Amino acid sequence: MNPVRVEDFLDISYRADLDVLVARWLRPVELAELQAGYEQMLAAAQVGAGRRWLIDVRRRFNTHQVGAQWMVTNLLPRLEPMLGGRSRLAYLLAPVYLRDAAADSAFPPESYFEGKPFIGNRFVEENAAIDWLRADIVE
């Protein structure tokens, strides 16, 4: 997959060596941009970039309550049928966001992912996020 720039707010690429789709938000976004960005990630994943996504939100700065609701009700349920298996989404955040009450309330608790065909987690270190994404790969 060739890198994709979604306007001026998102870069999407594929790390074939890791089998990971990498999406880096470049600035704060409005709801329509957030939705367009995630739709582009899904399209890229369908082309062959797979079910492991590293989503770097360190430069986005904003938590979208409405966007989080849209993801839970609209985007996440489409991952398994469109990508053919359980998806893993690792969010790379600045450390201050893990202490932000609004960010915490927008991200589902760990129990939410039980029995779902997708799972998400938050990280402050990219290597830890990649290790988690690849944890289900038997080598």
Side-chain angles (χ1 to χ4, degrees):
M1 174 192 142
N2 291 327
V4 175
R5 168 141 302 172
V6 181
E7 298 189 28
D8 67 337
F9 57 87
L10 180 65
D11 281 333
I12 303 171
S13 60
Y14 176 62
R15 291 277 313 265
D17 59 324
L18 300 172
D19 190 26
V20 171
L21 177 106
V22 179
R24 297 193 190 277
W25 294 96
L26 304 175
R27 64 167 174 78
V29 295
E30 299 298 324
L31 178 60
E33 294 170 322
L34 179 111
Q35 292 170 329
Y38 278 103
E39 293 294 346
Q40 287 295 318
M41 285 182 227
L42 181 55
Q46 286 182 281
V47 171
R51 298 185 319 262
R52 292 176 191 85
W53 298 9
L54 175 66
I55 305 165
D56 184 346
V57 297
R58 293 176 292 185
R59 287 184 268 175
R60 201 173 78 194
F61 305 124
N62 58 337
T63 298
H64 248 284
Q65 295 288 342
V66 175
Q69 183 63 30
W70 171 82
M71 287 188 66
V72 167
T73 60
N74 187 305
L75 180 79
L76 294 176
R78 292 187 286 147
L79 295 181
E80 182 185 33
M82 296 178 88
L83 303 179
R86 191 166 201 224
S87 296
R88 297 173 73 87
L89 287 71
Y91 287 85
L92 188 58
L93 295 96
V96 69
Y97 293 131
L98 291 179
R99 295 187 304 266
D100 183 288
D104 282 344
S105 68
F107 196 85
E110 190 174 324
S111 61
Y112 170 79
F113 298 105
E114 291 175 12
K116 299 258 188 331
F118 50 83
I119 187 170
N121 208 341
R122 299 177 298 171
F123 300 88
V124 294
E125 294 180 4
E126 191 159 334
N127 286 339
I130 289 170
D131 288 345
W132 178 82
L133 284 169
R134 296 179 45 79
D136 67 332
I137 298 174
V138 177
E139 297 187 28

